[in-house]
Amino acid sequence: MTKSQQLSGLLSFLLLIGTPLTTLAADTSDKPIDPQKSTTGFEIIGSNLQFSSFSDFKFESDKAENIINHEVTLHSIDKEHTLAIQDYRGTHEGWTLSATMSNVTEKDSGRTIKQPTLTLNPTLSTADSQKLAPNKNIRLTPTTTQPVLNVAENSGEGNTQLSFTNTTITIPKQYDISAGTYTADLKWTLAPITKVDTAQ
Amino acid sequence: MIRHQYYCRYLLTLVLCLVGLNFWGLPSQATSKNFSTQPQLPKNQLIPGASYYNLKVIPGSEQSLTLSITNPSDQTKTVKVTPVNATTADSGTIAYVPSNRQDESAETTFTKMTSVAVTVQLAPRQQKTVTLKTKIPANGFQGEIRGGLFVADLTPSQSNQQSNSTQFHLNNRFAEVTPVILRCNIDQKLRTNLKLAQVTVNPQPTVPTLTAKLRNLTPAAFGQLKIQAKVAEKATGKIVATQTTDQLAMAPNSWFNHPITLGKQTLAAGHYILKLDLTSGKRDWHFEAPFQLSKQQVKQHNISLKKATPARPWGRWLLISGTTVSLLIGAYWLGRRQAHS
């Protein structure tokens, strides 16, 4: 057997194993092919609206003495956080991403910080769809919900990536602050946009 | 030798193409590590193919709401499916999140009609369906009932599991919600009834702002709401602040605190009036309410104005440069004119 014969044999074998499984499955159909009525239609199946998780926000620490005497702004230690959203539904309905912060509580005592404000500054890193504008300078106080990005109908399809930089938490002056480790939950909620009429 | 290299390259290219073809034939892998949800729409769905429930329901019946939940990640996830009522967030958007906000005008709510929350554990790459039951009142209901199936990931985030740090920490939690809109009579149009419940001066730690609590007493959501706010001195009627906000929406039988800033003018302590003009489609409303600003509040406001005024030396330099250039051109033109004469 010559080299070229060896190669062609190998190529034939590779072609055989390289045939997509879907093609083989399609061939097993029992329906006879009608030459007069060849079907050219096909179906595109939509899937989900989903997002990927990203790492928690950690902030620099400060002395209780400073918070007792004046307002303090703590900055996120990580320079950047990214959040990716995938709209693979194929419905063009649009979607909304919102954020809700819980009370900020001390790990052991359960004491809460009074009137903290979390400031989020999202920017669009990448997006398949055009004309998306995340809200700027989003201020979250405990238990309030704020929209981060509202995507109208016929936009926001495919992949969208948001970048969060310069995230801060501002704690107003309070004489009764407890020293300790504070945590809060930051809930990110993704929802499809529903059609709403004007007032009647 | 050269021929051999040529064959090798050809073979390698072909192998890569074939490997690519094989993957092309398989379903694409989910890039997200989070869970995803998809409603299984029943026959009484009004908008086919939507990614939320919009149902015509029959009084006295039991409506099943089935949701597929998929865990595409390689770790076990625990999720909780909770029925929630639609509320209006202070940003003027319809929110489908767990909330204590309720308006007493509601005849009934989605959470009152629906079975309790369900917790589900999903193995890696597992899909499960969850069904919640909604009992429609025997006499039906007016307008629409709006809520959602709120699916929250209860699995602690990785950094939270590993952390022993003493720093301030925000734990990210992820949730997806599928809105649910129920109607007994789809042709029913209800006249929107809006009210201004109260105006308060918000006790912000630094800058005082106003909040106007607006109520939608109608069991119907509406959108494209525009609010024009004016703050006037009570004694003189002089407008000291204006603000326009549009593209707002309200959930049925809900309220929200619309924030209004006090503008950029220096204010004096005393009595003021907030005037609100609201429009949505062909409807419009006008509301007025008095409020009072204390000495401390106007002091905070006036101090914030001084801080906010940016020092813009470049503006001054631009003015000086412009004037100098104009003078030089003028002098040159005059000089030439004199030389000609």
Side-chain angles (χ1 to χ4, degrees), chain A residues 7 11 22 48-49 51 55-57 59 71 89 93 104 147 182-184 186 188 190-191 194 196-197 199-200, chain B residues 7 14 25 32 34 36 38 50-51 91 146 157 159 168-173 175-177 192 206 222-223 280 283:
Chain A
L7 272 171
L11 287 174
T22 46
N48 301 318
L49 175 67
F51 52 16
S55 58
D56 292 343
F57 287 99
F59 292 82
E71 181 183 283
R89 294 172 298 171
E93 281 172 320
V104 181
Y182 286 84
T183 58
L186 183 58
W188 301 88
L190 193 60
T194 56
V196 184
D197 291 333
Q200 300 295 314
Chain B
Y7 273 129
L14 209 72
S32 170
N34 236 311
S36 63
Q38 203 165 20
S51 51
S91 53
R146 198 176 268 253
S157 50
S159 52
F168 184 85
H169 208 119
L170 270 180
N171 304 318
N172 287 313
R173 299 280 183 190
E176 286 194 30
V177 69
T192 308
T206 50
F222 71 95
S280 168
R283 292 293 311 277

Side-chain angles (χ1 to χ4, degrees), chain B residues 22-33:
Chain B
N22 247 344
F23 278 110
W24 179 68
L26 296 170
S28 64
Q29 294 292 307
T31 52
S32 170
K33 287 179 182 174

